[in-house]
Amino acid sequence: MAAAAALTLTACSGGSDSGSNGSAGDGSSDDGGNLRLGAVVDVSTWDPAEGSWGNEALFFQAVYDTLLRMNAEGEIEPGLAETWEWDDDRTTLTLDLRDGVTFSDGEELTAEVAAESVLAYRDGAAPNAGNLSDVDAVEAVDEDTIAITLSQPNPGLEAYLAQNAGVVGSPAATDPATTPIGSGPYVLDLEASIPGSRYELTAREDYWDESTQHYDSITINFYADATATQNALRDSQVDYSNLNSVSQLPDAEAAGYTAHHAPVNWKGFILSDREGTVNEALGDVKVRQAINYALDRDALLEAIESGHGEPTTQIFGVDTEAYDEDLEDRYPYDPEKAKELLAEAGYPDGVEIVQPKTSFTPASDYELVSGMLAESNITLVADEVGSTFIGDLLGGKWGAFQFGLNQEALAWQTYEQAVAPGAAWNVQHVTDPTVQELAERMRHGGEDADAAAQEMNEYLVEQAWFAPIYRVDGVIVTAPGTTATQKVGQAVPNLWDIVPE
């Protein structure tokens, strides 16, 4: 969604080399001076109650702190909260805040400020505000302790508090959307910045966690398209960048950059119309299974991603408790089997599937997938999208569409993202009794929760709620003098994991 907005903006491919931390071109010193970041998505808003995460995480981590942190391996660590504890029912999470934290405007962090921030996010318009839908109340127990009370257990809460749901801004901020005031390691220099293009940030001298403050200043350059990113890398204008696609990797490496890989998301089809309300054929599980058999995953991975990834038939990440290696062989490429299933479902002459066609997907990729499905009598009909694309997509206009979603660190996060009745990417909001029974077992934790997660994964694969094609590597690149540790399930690393080499 953020990418859709970003594509309308103009990039500035310039950037000063002065004091940079080892650029690829000039071999400048690795003194932790100025870090030049390349971003393929612009910050949509600086407002903690409205903001996104994913590609925008680096923007927020520069200016703000979160109540908790998640390290590169997906483990929860202290943030603004030094310690935290659940009650026996796992419906109340109590967090003890660290003392002496101030915002860049001099305001102090208090329990009341933190509590109001969590509630503002829950009630705001952030894309994943629904992550806090189970939050009934947030109260300041004393000056440095807050208690978050849930209507029912939510295994993802700690992870959400390590993302944008846990971002805390100054209570005195009057225009947080454009003028962020946080307690984070850097301060945005508005006069030196060009919104929509370049953002200049300077280090705070009194930051509470100097061990994660590796640079004197940071420049974030936003590149609105692949050409702008490619030019920046070719001309050594950044010390770090993520890529629009792996096709840019050879040129980046030729320019002296080092690549860092990690599985980040899966790409394929969301077969959202499981009840056949938009396209009657998709309501039949045999049709959805036929789509899975019609995909030559190995060939598509090689052709589209140059082999940088792994074929898959499941949406849960390999590091989650739900992952099952045996499921990867559930749908081998078999056009004849696909045709048989279509005939058994009452479609001997095949089916037509209308799906949106956007500029985000190269025409060659669309034609490749379309031609492959046609061999199994599955015809894709392109619906050229307009300005209402995102609203139409989330509103369930199309019964199936190609997409890519993060493979989150926790199986529960994936459930809430794409499977739950209220999930944003369960766009028809299908409710399945089997799925809901398994979700309740997952909700309460323990060994049975892990077993339920595996059962849910198997059920979703068998019922063909999705047609994943492959897990694709997220690729980031760093210039000589800079290195980074990629983060599990996220498009960009934590800001503090980009360091002088």
Side-chain angles (χ1 to χ4, degrees):
M1 294 167 66
L7 290 172
T8 67
L9 303 176
T10 301
C12 171
S13 60
S16 170
D17 287 338
S18 174
S20 68
N21 180 58
S23 71
D26 297 335
S28 45
S29 64
D30 57 352
D31 59 1
N34 176 252
L35 173 67
R36 301 166 306 161
L37 301 177
V40 299
V41 170
D42 192 17
V43 61
S44 52
T45 176
W46 290 97
D47 188 346
E50 310 287 334
S52 298
W53 202 244
N55 275 289
E56 298 181 43
L58 291 176
F59 291 91
F60 277 85
Q61 288 180 339
V63 175
Y64 296 105
D65 288 311
T66 49
L67 289 170
L68 299 174
R69 289 176 174 173
M70 180 182 289
N71 65 22
E73 289 73 41
E75 300 165 337
I76 302 298
E77 298 181 337
L80 290 176
E82 289 187 286
T83 62
W84 59 98
E85 183 179 15
W86 286 99
D87 67 349
D88 292 340
D89 295 332
R90 296 190 69 82
T91 55
T92 298
L93 179 65
T94 302
L95 302 102
D96 292 324
L97 307 180
R98 59 181 73 246
D99 296 327
V101 175
T102 61
F103 297 95
S104 59
D105 61 357
E107 292 284 328
E108 293 185 0
L109 171 69
T110 65
E112 184 177 352
V113 169
E116 290 178 354
S117 178
V118 174
L119 289 172
Y121 181 87
R122 181 198 66 181
D123 300 333
N128 50 351
N131 287 344
L132 298 189
S133 60
D134 290 327
V135 173
D136 262 355
V138 187
E139 298 176 331
V141 178
D142 54 39
E143 289 186 358
D144 59 4
T145 307
I146 67 171
I148 301 176
T149 302
L150 305 177
S151 58
Q152 55 187 343
N154 188 314
L157 182 61
E158 292 176 32
Y160 301 144
L161 296 179
Q163 299 174 346
N164 44 334
V167 169
V168 182
S170 169
T174 57
D175 186 14
T178 60
T179 310
I181 302 175
S183 63
Y186 299 91
V187 178
L188 179 66
D189 185 341
L190 280 172
E191 292 186 1
S193 301
I194 304 173
S197 176
R198 188 182 73 246
Y199 302 89
E200 300 288 353
L201 302 110
T202 57
R204 290 184 60 194
E205 293 183 1
D206 56 349
Y207 183 55
W208 62 269
D209 189 8
E210 292 182 355
S211 66
T212 62
Q213 195 178 35
H214 303 298
Y215 298 92
D216 298 328
S217 61
I218 292 177
T219 301
I220 304 179
N221 290 304
F222 162 57
Y223 302 112
D225 55 46
T227 299
T229 302
Q230 200 75 3
N231 289 340
L233 295 171
R234 182 197 62 202
D235 297 336
S236 303
Q237 295 173 355
V238 292
D239 304 306
Y240 155 92
S241 183
N242 55 345
L243 303 180
N244 303 85
S245 75
V246 294
S247 64
Q248 297 171 306
L249 186 54
D251 286 344
E253 291 179 326
Y257 287 87
T258 298
H260 308 266
H261 299 256
V264 171
N265 58 12
W266 66 269
K267 289 185 178 180
F269 285 87
I270 295 180
L271 307 179
S272 58
D273 192 16
R274 297 133 198 160
E275 295 177 337
T277 56
V278 175
N279 184 331
E280 183 179 1
L282 289 172
D284 193 312
V285 65
K286 292 183 178 180
V287 173
R288 301 195 301 270
Q289 289 175 338
I291 295 171
N292 274 275
Y293 279 114
L295 295 167
D296 186 342
R297 292 170 169 83
D298 291 292
L300 291 173
L301 176 64
E302 186 62 35
I304 298 175
E305 307 291 346
S306 301
H308 292 290
E310 296 176 321
T312 189
T313 61
Q314 51 195 310
I315 67 171
F316 291 94
V318 296
D319 295 317
T320 68
E321 60 275 28
Y323 178 76
D324 184 348
E325 185 176 358
D326 292 340
L327 291 176
E328 301 289 39
D329 298 324
R330 174 61 181 86
Y331 295 108
Y333 177 52
D334 191 341
E336 293 306 314
K337 178 67 172 178
K339 293 176 185 177
E340 290 176 12
L341 287 169
L342 291 177
E344 291 175 12
Y347 302 96
D349 298 324
V351 295
E352 284 191 355
I353 298 173
V354 178
Q355 73 150 22
K357 186 176 181 182
T358 75
S359 60
F360 311 145
T361 301
S364 58
D365 293 356
Y366 180 87
E367 295 301 328
L368 180 63
V369 175
S370 179
M372 182 176 290
L373 291 177
E375 295 177 3
S376 297
N377 290 343
I378 299 168
T379 302
L380 289 187
V381 179
D383 187 2
E384 299 289 343
V385 303
S387 60
T388 60
F389 167 55
I390 294 298
D392 289 342
L393 190 67
L394 294 174
K397 178 178 179 179
W398 298 283
F401 49 91
Q402 293 183 67
F403 215 71
L405 290 176
N406 277 10
Q407 292 208 308
E408 302 283 1
L410 301 175
W412 181 261
Q413 291 176 276
T414 297
Y415 164 75
E416 290 209 309
Q417 176 194 57
V419 180
W425 297 108
N426 179 357
V427 298
Q428 253 83 22
H429 303 297
V430 173
T431 300
D432 183 297
T434 299
V435 170
Q436 293 314 108
E437 179 183 349
L438 293 169
E440 286 306 304
R441 289 169 55 194
M442 290 172 64
R443 184 185 296 279
H444 290 88
E447 292 183 4
D448 184 59
D450 292 350
Q454 293 175 4
E455 291 176 40
M456 178 182 288
N457 189 12
E458 182 178 2
Y459 182 79
L460 295 176
V461 171
E462 186 64 33
Q463 292 296 309
W465 274 39
F466 306 88
I469 300 174
Y470 46 73
R471 283 183 294 275
V472 64
D473 283 356
V475 182
I476 60 174
V477 294
T478 54
T482 304
T483 190
T485 302
Q486 185 63 296
K487 186 176 182 180
V488 171
Q490 187 166 296
V492 298
N494 290 319
L495 180 62
W496 54 84
D497 286 330
I498 304 173
V499 299
E501 193 169 30

